[in-house]
Amino acid sequence: MALFIYGTATNTGKGFFTAEDRRNFFLRGYPGDVWVIGNSEKGALWLAEKNGVEKTKAEAQAIVDAEVTAAQAAWDALPIEQKNRPGFNQRPTAITLP
Amino acid sequence: MTTYNQLAGYRVNYLSTDPTLNSGNEGQVWYNSTSGTLKSLVQLKAWSAAGSLPVAKNEAGSDGTSTAGWTAGGSTGPAANTGTTATEEYSGYTWASGGNLNTARTGLGGSGFGTQTAAAVSGGYVQPGAGPTRTMYANAEEYNGSSWTSVTSMPTALNGVAQCGIQTAGLSFGGGSGYATPFVTTTLEYDGTNWTTGGSLNTAAVYQAAGIQTAGLAMQQSDTTGKGTESYNGTSWTTVANRNTARAQIVGFGTQTLATIAGGYSAGPGTPQFTETEQWDGTAWGISPASLGTATRTGMGIGTQGSGTSGLLAGGYQTNYLANTQEWNSTIFSPATGAWASGGNLNTARGGIMGEGTQTAAVAFGGDNPAPTGATELYNGTAWTNTGSMNTARGEGGAAGTQTAGLGFGGYIVPNTAATESFNGSTWTSVNSMNTARRGLGGVGLQTAALAFGGFTTARVASTESWNGTSWTTLPASMNTARDSLGSAGTQTAALAFGGFSTAVTGITESWNGSTWTSVNSMNTARYALAGAGTQTLALAFGGTSNPPITGATEQYDGTSWISSPPMSTARRDLGGAGTQTAGLAFGGGNPGALTATEEWTGTPSTGTASTLTTS
């Protein structure tokens, strides 16, 4: 049995996830509206209630990768003064889903 | 009648107010003349719900502590007696997956010893059908925090072996040698390389373990007779007092002189499980008034190497497999806790955003996406509404004040600005500039009494400036550590600076008393580009980056030390923050692109509680 459910769901703001949800199951948000959810009945129900679309881990990772690539391109276009700031505002790095 | 003075040798204090509720007064009894009650500061014992396992499971190996526990292997369902290789690690609030075992197995209930970064597990079985065919394992594996490595096997294949200790000094005892075969009295000691035989148990059985290799405690589990207890001195076992209730498939943890068992069942599978908890004080077992929130058997106990005052019951089985985590605490303090929930989304996504106010009346202003913006939004506890923009668009500035009386100062506009603006709830007005243009600075206080510190000019600075409502004054006292992109909380005369980037990412924390900065305990997670909220003695730190990764880590400061707390759902850096330690607000930021997401924190700080004594 897989540890996590992967899916996309749009964060609609207030009430999208509650403190009770956070206590009930693992929940992490990633770029591209990707959510990693603890594989439990409550976690699966939450994704369904949010009109989420379940993805495979590979599909979810591909969405995140595309977002990171876009952010890297945006960073590459920044003025050199911002890029050169030591220890700060580094080029976005890859994100690996758990 | 015997008096308290005759019993205890001293009199009960007569006080008009309760004394300080800290560990120095633990066990004290006093009469509160104001409330007319006899009171005491005693340990509170309770189970509470904690973050759930990612997957429901039982019969896994487990150990560590209640803030750094682990489980490995186990069963995830009736059809999964082939066992799992999955490892989960607990942070004190949430579980994350770790490296997989090399050998999938179950039947590890109670086994395993060591820490999250130096653990060992051994034995177990796989059972493809309903039995009696069962493949037993003797093989052992060690964990280094990321991966498991096969090491020397136990001399005998066992399941349900009880284990305690550390990776280089482990103790294993009891268990079964096959499907429905007699239990064993075998004791094995592990030194990190080899297994050697120790003194035999007096009673062959399946046990739960507490303690260490040279001071172990065996807590018998059997549905009819299982309430025996034996104590190990490094050489031999001695039978000591029985528990009150015979039951099987319990969890147990603690030390040889302070242990806890809970759950289990007494009449066979399918019957109701126990919520009952028993505590061992080194001499006798007592039934605790605190019960499990969820009756459970075959769960994973965590905390055999702990202090005996805290532990975990993770997963297990009731009428189905459980993912619940239940946390045991025996303390004069209620634990600090809290959770983040989603709030209304910002209208303009941005990082480097500034903010101030409360969870239900905040203002967010400025930021970058990627160019500086002066956009300003007001939050009412539900949604953000656009209002008048700043005169000077900027990101990474300082902020002070409230939603209707705010102050924005400094920041980044290629390269830096000293510009200061005053906000009245709808309009920004330019006022006198700071003495030193800087970005990534800390800011606290009010519109008429603010403080700015640290930041980046052409290098990281430690200087402090004070705002009196009209002008900025550079103060003679600087922070001890120059840094930028730090978190801040408090007031002009009682501030807290935490984290940031100095020569490297730091968790250094400094406290300001109105005239000098003093170094205090650092955050647990070093990071910069974080946000802060609260006061000097009740602060909240959240988000940021450890260069990398970007984090959602949350910590609460109690005036002395930082306590790790549940993280935000969306990790982010360069976010805005507002509110208090018990009602915080996080908004915007980047990961990696600019975000609109808002999260609301509801926290409960750690507090001591005086109990009122009653007569019966």
Side-chain angles (χ1 to χ4, degrees):
Chain A
M1 187 175 180
L3 287 174
F4 300 112
I5 300 168
Y6 300 85
T8 54
T10 303
N11 183 344
T12 51
K14 187 91 172 179
F16 180 68
F17 59 84
T18 65
E20 187 66 20
D21 292 332
R22 293 296 313 277
R23 284 190 282 267
N24 283 340
F25 52 86
F26 181 94
L27 182 67
R28 292 287 185 281
Y30 291 89
D33 289 333
V34 169
W35 295 88
V36 177
I37 308 142
N39 189 0
S40 65
E41 188 176 337
K42 288 180 178 175
L45 185 62
W46 177 85
L47 183 63
E49 287 175 346
K50 304 307 170 188
N51 296 317
V53 178
E54 190 165 342
K55 304 285 184 183
T56 65
K57 183 178 181 181
E59 289 170 339
Q61 184 67 59
I63 294 169
V64 172
D65 290 346
E67 291 287 324
V68 171
T69 299
Q72 288 172 334
W75 187 91
D76 291 340
L78 287 173
I80 193 71
E81 192 274 341
Q82 281 196 35
K83 289 185 191 173
N84 287 346
R85 186 173 172 186
F88 193 82
N89 199 25
Q90 285 87 4
R91 191 171 190 265
T93 55
I95 296 171
T96 303
L97 296 180
Chain B
M1 185 177 81
T2 306
T3 66
Y4 183 77
N5 190 11
Q6 290 169 317
L7 284 170
Y10 44 84
R11 294 182 176 182
V12 174
N13 286 320
Y14 188 92
L15 304 172
S16 59
T17 58
D18 291 342
T20 304
L21 302 179
N22 59 21
S23 55
N25 284 318
E26 182 177 345
Q28 293 293 312
V29 177
W30 67 94
Y31 181 77
N32 186 311
S33 59
T34 303
S35 62
T37 52
L38 188 64
K39 304 180 84 172
S40 177
L41 186 60
V42 296
Q43 290 196 351
L44 305 171
K45 298 173 181 177
W47 289 96
S48 58
S52 296
L53 283 161
V55 61
K57 66 194 295 192
N58 74 345
E59 298 263 8
S62 60
D63 204 10
T65 68
S66 61
T67 57
W70 58 270
T71 72
S75 293
T76 55
N81 272 343
T82 49
T84 175
T85 59
T87 298
E88 294 86 24
E89 298 171 5
Y90 190 64
S91 67
Y93 292 96
T94 58
W95 292 91
S97 56
N100 289 340
L101 286 165
N102 294 292
T103 301
R105 55 183 114 174
T106 186
L108 294 166
S111 67
F113 46 79
T115 68
Q116 270 184 354
T117 55
V121 69
S122 57
Y125 68 86
V126 294
Q127 183 178 301
T133 303
R134 174 179 286 188
T135 302
M136 299 289 297
Y137 288 116
N139 61 333
E141 299 187 40
E142 286 187 356
Y143 191 58
N144 64 4
S146 59
S147 60
W148 290 93
T149 304
S150 294
V151 294
T152 307
S153 296
M154 294 190 296
T156 306
L158 294 166
N159 68 266
V161 61
Q163 297 187 320
C164 59
I166 60 175
Q167 192 187 57
T168 54
L171 183 68
S172 303
F173 49 91
S177 55
Y179 185 89
T181 55
F183 300 127
V184 301
T185 58
T186 308
T187 297
L188 298 169
E189 296 178 4
Y190 184 65
D191 64 5
T193 305
N194 296 306
W195 298 90
T196 54
T197 303
S200 293
L201 288 154
N202 295 292
T203 301
V206 178
Y207 291 89
Q208 285 288 325
I212 58 177
Q213 190 185 60
T214 54
L217 190 72
M219 301 169 282
Q220 189 183 352
Q221 36 184 346
S222 164
D223 57 351
T224 54
T225 59
K227 53 184 180 182
T229 309
E230 299 190 31
S231 179
Y232 192 63
N233 63 5
T235 304
S236 60
W237 289 96
T238 303
T239 300
V240 289
N242 282 345
R243 289 199 317 272
N244 295 281
T245 308
R247 43 184 148 160
Q249 299 182 349
I250 57 176
V251 295
F253 48 78
T255 68
Q256 190 182 53
T257 56
L258 185 57
T260 302
I261 68 99
Y265 75 95
S266 65
T271 59
Q273 276 78 196
F274 278 96
T275 58
E276 186 180 84
T277 301
E278 293 189 50
Q279 277 210 292
W280 169 253
D281 64 5
T283 304
W285 287 96
I287 295 175
S288 171
S291 298
L292 288 169
T294 301
T296 305
R297 63 183 169 99
T298 64
M300 287 73 78
I302 290 171
T304 64
Q305 57 176 354
S307 63
T309 58
S310 62
L312 297 177
L313 191 174
Y317 185 89
Q318 191 183 72
T319 55
N320 208 333
Y321 290 77
L322 300 171
N324 305 40
T325 299
Q326 301 181 70
E327 182 173 339
W328 168 259
N329 278 293
S330 176
T331 174
I332 61 170
F333 298 106
S334 60
T337 186
W340 291 95
S342 62
N345 292 333
L346 285 162
N347 296 292
T348 302
R350 46 193 146 154
I353 190 171
M354 296 152 277
E356 60 215 13
T358 68
Q359 191 185 66
T360 54
V363 56
F365 53 94
D368 311 293
N369 184 18
T373 175
T376 302
E377 302 184 39
L378 303 177
Y379 192 61
N380 63 3
T382 303
W384 292 94
T385 306
N386 289 321
T387 187
S389 293
M390 301 184 84
N391 298 296
T392 302
R394 71 189 83 182
E396 304 170 36
T402 67
Q403 189 189 53
T404 55
L407 196 70
F409 40 95
Y412 175 72
I413 53 167
V414 186
N416 299 317
T417 180
T420 301
E421 297 186 44
S422 178
F423 184 64
N424 66 3
S426 60
T427 306
W428 289 94
T429 303
S430 294
V431 293
N432 288 322
S433 294
M434 300 179 74
N435 296 298
T436 302
R438 57 179 100 181
R439 65 190 181 215
L441 65 158
V444 296
L446 302 171
Q447 190 185 56
T448 54
L451 193 72
F453 39 93
F456 188 93
T457 56
T458 56
R460 293 179 179 87
V461 297
S463 61
T464 306
E465 293 189 46
S466 178
W467 170 258
N468 64 4
T470 303
S471 60
W472 290 97
T473 302
T474 301
L475 301 177
S478 294
M479 288 192 297
N480 298 291
T481 301
R483 53 186 135 161
D484 72 337
S485 305
L486 65 162
S488 54
T491 67
Q492 189 187 53
T493 56
L496 197 70
F498 40 95
F501 197 103
S502 54
T503 55
V505 181
T506 183
I508 289 172
T509 302
E510 297 187 47
S511 181
W512 169 256
N513 65 2
S515 59
T516 58
W517 289 97
T518 303
S519 295
V520 294
N521 288 322
S522 295
M523 290 195 297
N524 298 295
T525 301
R527 50 190 139 154
Y528 68 93
L530 71 161
T535 68
Q536 185 189 52
T537 55
L538 290 171
L540 188 70
F542 41 100
T545 175
S546 299
N547 202 28
I550 296 172
T551 180
T554 302
E555 297 186 44
Q556 296 184 71
Y557 186 69
D558 64 4
T560 302
S561 56
W562 290 96
I563 301 159
S564 294
S565 301
M568 291 186 290
S569 284
T570 300
R572 60 184 91 183
R573 52 173 292 171
D574 295 305
L575 68 161
T580 66
Q581 192 187 60
T582 55
L585 193 69
F587 42 91
N591 184 13
L595 300 168
T596 61
T598 297
E599 297 191 42
E600 297 174 355
W601 167 259
T602 302
T604 305
S606 174
T607 54
T609 303
S611 302
T612 299
L613 304 180
T614 57
T615 57
S616 58

